[in-house]
Amino acid sequence: MLSEEIKNFGIVGYPVGHSLSPKIYMAAFASGGYPKYNYIPMPMPAGRLMLVVDGVKDLEFRGINVTIPHKTNIMKYLDAIDPDAKIIGAVNTIVNDGGMLTGYNTDVTGFLASLTEADFLAEDCNAVILGAGGVARAAIWGLCKRNAGCITIGARNPEKAANLAKDFEQYSDILVYDWQAEEFKEILQSADILINATPLGMYPNLDEMPPVDLTLLPEGALVYDIIYNPAKTKFLQKAEELGFKTLNGLSMLLRQGEEAYRLFTGELPDLDIMRRVALQELKVLQRKIDKEKEKTTIQ
Ligand code: NAP
């Protein structure tokens, strides 16, 4: 039995070396009065998930976060799944109550909180999402919960996106387009919010961005890139140059972490401390990016 004051947490994924979570949670636990809580990065290749579940129970982990590529596959090993996670089809947080493992998806809470932080009212809005992966699913469910007016997915693989849309058809009509199709341009012209939910532009692929023409967006649209590393992707740089309001993925990352912390401890963390630590870590990464850029310019 672990002593009352020691509890173990961690993040499972593959890879997890780049994750900001260990530093963010350790700082949050320390400032929340839990200096003996541990949060460990746990790289685990696909196909070995049963080991994770047994480990969480046997080693008395209070909870873990789950990231790519395990968010969906881990669900079958859990004892209970929260309704949001069931609808989204992915779990990113597991809480262990004396051997009973419950899966949650805090990305949806994080996504909605990030919209609120940005003063964006999703009700009745025209939302356009680029990509049809895990984060797109959480964002779409969030927009359904907030009664968005119209949700459109633009993707490189419209067939896959159509399958996603089908999963949500009982909650909202979702339009699907090839993001390079002419008709998609019309959709962009009436978007209140354009969300990049692909990894295009994420470190180290800084020169990439989704192939959409931002000049088509109406004045006042919010351009949201769910990527937080780098803080300003090429997609956001272009949007800013065109005068649009922009939002990066840091707020969602912190807010989903805040919700996971609440599920783990029953208390809210100090979000300012989490933000400070995340920004420090991102600064270190940014320095690395700048150094690499310098090197390539010299060569
Ligand atoms: P995912 O499940 O792998 O989905 C990625 C989506 O992007 C898929 O639709 C995929 O298309 C598309 N895509 C990937 N590479 C592409 C390329 N080269 N060209 C065109 N489309 C491409 O990933 P995810 O979990 O949704 O994560 C997406 C991004 O969100 C990542 O950058 C991740 O770091 C970020 N993220 C942020 C937060 C946060 O809190 N801010 C949380 C989680 C994730 P196909 O379907 O055709 O493969």
Side-chain angles (χ1 to χ4, degrees):
M1 242 335 231
L2 289 177
S3 92
E4 273 297 291
E5 43 183 43
I6 301 175
K7 280 194 168 67
N8 288 328
F9 300 85
I11 179 161
V12 173
Y14 201 76
V16 285
H18 64 284
S19 173
L20 305 182
S21 296
K23 290 222 163 112
I24 295 177
Y25 280 97
M26 288 300 277
F29 286 143
S31 76
Y34 303 111
K36 292 194 177 168
Y37 282 15
N38 302 304
Y39 190 102
I40 308 157
M42 299 182 284
M44 175 63 78
R48 320 255 300 160
L49 281 182
M50 198 58 215
L51 289 178
V52 172
V53 175
D54 286 345
V56 166
K57 289 184 182 176
D58 294 348
L59 301 171
E60 296 182 42
F61 273 67
R62 165 65 182 148
I64 58 167
N65 292 117
V66 183
T67 185
I68 291 172
H70 304 316
K71 284 183 177 183
T72 298
N73 289 339
I74 201 146
M75 293 173 80
K76 58 178 171 283
Y77 300 110
L78 305 180
D79 302 300
I81 310 276
D82 172 75
D84 277 346
K86 211 177 262 178
I87 291 169
I88 294 165
V91 153
N92 75 338
T93 300
I94 297 172
V95 177
N96 178 9
D97 283 308
M100 154 112 180
L101 302 190
T102 304
Y104 299 87
N105 190 306
T106 67
D107 280 340
V108 64
T109 321
F111 172 74
L112 288 176
S114 72
L115 294 186
T116 305
E117 261 186 31
D119 287 329
F120 181 83
L121 288 178
E123 201 175 340
D124 292 329
C125 76
N126 282 339
V128 181
I129 298 176
L130 304 172
V135 165
R137 296 183 77 90
I140 286 170
W141 178 229
L143 290 163
C144 290
K145 285 177 81 156
R146 287 270 170 97
N147 298 317
C150 180
I151 303 172
T152 305
I153 305 173
R156 67 171 171 186
N157 182 345
E159 247 171 59
K160 188 174 165 194
N163 285 336
L164 187 166
K166 222 167 177 209
D167 290 345
F168 292 91
E169 68 188 358
Q170 57 178 305
Y171 306 107
S172 176
D173 283 335
I174 298 171
L175 306 174
V176 173
Y177 289 90
D178 179 326
W179 60 15
Q180 287 187 302
E182 276 303 308
E183 307 91 291
F184 188 59
K185 291 186 177 158
E186 270 171 46
I187 298 287
L188 289 173
Q189 285 167 21
S190 58
D192 297 309
I193 181 168
L194 174 66
I195 304 165
N196 176 31
T198 77
L200 288 169
M202 187 169 76
Y203 179 80
N205 303 312
L206 306 174
D207 287 332
E208 294 180 347
M209 66 175 270
V212 294
D213 183 357
L214 297 177
T215 62
L216 295 171
L217 292 172
E219 207 182 314
L222 173 65
V223 179
Y224 186 174
D225 198 330
I226 273 178
I227 293 170
Y228 51 83
N229 176 24
K232 207 183 281 178
T233 55
K234 190 174 172 186
F235 183 69
L236 289 191
Q237 269 171 39
K238 293 245 179 242
E240 225 176 66
E241 281 161 22
L242 291 165
F244 294 110
K245 193 175 170 192
T246 60
L247 178 64
N248 73 18
L250 182 62
S251 159
M252 172 170 165
L253 176 80
L254 293 173
R255 292 300 191 155
Q256 67 77 26
E258 175 184 56
E259 175 63 1
Y261 184 105
R262 189 187 69 77
L263 292 166
F264 292 152
T265 64
E267 294 161 19
L268 282 175
D270 184 334
L271 200 64
D272 287 337
I273 287 194
M274 293 170 83
R275 185 175 291 113
R276 212 177 307 146
V277 171
L279 287 171
Q280 261 166 15
E281 289 303 300
L282 288 170
K283 234 186 227 166
V284 173
L285 285 168
Q286 187 59 49
R287 260 186 244 128
K288 207 172 139 193
I289 293 173
D290 293 342
K291 264 196 189 152
E292 279 166 18
K293 259 192 199 161
E294 237 172 70
K295 252 196 220 160
T296 32
T297 332
I298 291 167
Q299 276 166 2

